[in-house]
Amino acid sequence: EVQLVESGGGLVQPGGSLRLSCAASGFTFSRYWMSWVRQAPGKGLEWVANIKGDGNERNFVDSVKGRFTISRDNARKSLYLQVDSLRAEDTAVYYCARIEYSSRSFDHWGQGTLVTVSS
Amino acid sequence: QSLLTQPPSVSAAPGQKVTFSCSGSSSNIGSNDVSWYQHLPGTAPKLLIYENNKRPSGIPDRFSGSKSGTSATLGITGLQTGDEADYYCGTWDSSLTTVVFGGGTKLTVL
């Protein structure tokens, strides 16, 4: 059974940083593109970033470029999102999701971790 | 403002059929496959439909999808109270080279 478990969220002041983690199990992690998707309070889903299975290709939504970094450790079957220079508008639940590449769909998701940016 | 337009809400009675619309443009729905997701806040979103009309293993055939031009539709028949959730369409946008989602439609089963 595919499982994705996020951690690392919390309350942080504007300008602060966090490192989000996603522990994967139940599939060959290195074979899949992985992604972070977020949902701000009262808003819809927003794709944030994705990373290729071997870690050699990364993409980001414009609003986080230069502030967020996505990485992975295939030996540990873990996905990470380093979030720096946080702003109030980054407040959201951050979901880890597996990408089914051929259909570009997110076929498995985690339960999410909440990031709150507030002073 | 989402690039994919979904009505904010829809409602129907148990046992009835409901459809969700998703309208885009030539750079997203018009040239790429559409997926649909069910999301109860606080839980993991679930993939319902991929490649416009295909259901993942475990998704009942009460759920169906279609696409025509720059619009896509999700249908649910035999509505159940457990279907109450937010429903999102998503696809790739070839101009932005990003994944885009609709704003979501909240389903209320009366």
Side-chain angles (χ1 to χ4, degrees):
Chain A
E1 179 192 4
V2 172
Q3 286 198 331
L4 299 170
V5 180
E6 302 93 336
S7 61
L11 174 62
V12 61
Q13 292 187 340
S17 298
L18 282 173
R19 190 193 196 204
L20 308 183
S21 300
C22 172
S25 61
F27 65 102
T28 305
F29 182 68
S30 61
R31 291 185 181 175
Y32 287 86
W33 282 76
M34 296 295 295
S35 188
W36 290 96
V37 177
R38 67 184 179 183
Q39 183 179 34
K43 302 291 187 181
L45 299 174
E46 179 186 36
W47 170 78
V48 174
N50 60 25
I51 185 169
K52 192 177 179 181
D54 60 10
N56 288 336
E57 186 173 342
R58 299 170 174 83
N59 300 286
F60 298 90
V61 67
D62 283 350
S63 60
V64 308
K65 284 180 181 176
R67 300 189 299 122
F68 289 13
T69 303
I70 189 171
S71 62
R72 64 193 296 158
D73 184 334
N74 286 343
R76 288 189 163 87
K77 297 184 180 181
S78 293
L79 176 72
Y80 306 103
L81 187 69
Q82 178 69 36
V83 295
D84 299 321
S85 303
L86 281 164
R87 307 167 179 167
E89 55 265 34
D90 296 317
T91 294
V93 176
Y94 285 72
Y95 295 97
C96 165
R98 190 179 84 168
I99 299 172
E100 204 300 304
Y101 187 75
S102 62
S103 64
R104 286 177 171 161
S105 62
F106 301 97
D107 65 351
H108 291 278
W109 300 66
Q111 300 267 6
T113 187
L114 176 61
V115 173
T116 303
V117 184
S118 175
S119 55
Chain B
Q1 189 78 10
S2 303
L3 289 177
L4 305 182
T5 301
Q6 296 184 253
S9 63
V10 65
S11 61
Q16 296 299 304
K17 175 181 178 179
V18 67
T19 60
F20 302 80
S21 63
C22 176
S23 178
S25 68
S26 59
S27 66
N28 43 63
I29 294 178
S31 51
N32 296 285
D33 290 329
V34 176
S35 302
W36 288 91
Y37 304 90
Q38 178 190 63
H39 187 212
L40 282 77
T43 70
K46 179 192 291 186
L47 176 65
L48 293 177
I49 297 289
Y50 66 100
E51 291 180 0
N52 307 317
N53 55 19
K54 297 178 182 176
R55 285 177 286 106
S57 173
I59 301 300
D61 60 7
R62 300 190 299 111
F63 296 88
S64 63
S66 63
K67 188 183 96 166
S68 178
T70 59
S71 294
T73 302
L74 170 71
I76 309 176
T77 59
L79 271 177
Q80 302 172 1
T81 55
D83 295 330
E84 281 202 339
D86 298 320
Y87 290 83
Y88 293 89
C89 56
T91 188
W92 181 256
D93 190 288
S94 302
S95 294
L96 297 176
T97 61
T98 65
V99 171
V100 291
F101 290 102
T105 298
K106 181 177 181 60
L107 169 64
T108 300
V109 181
L110 302 169

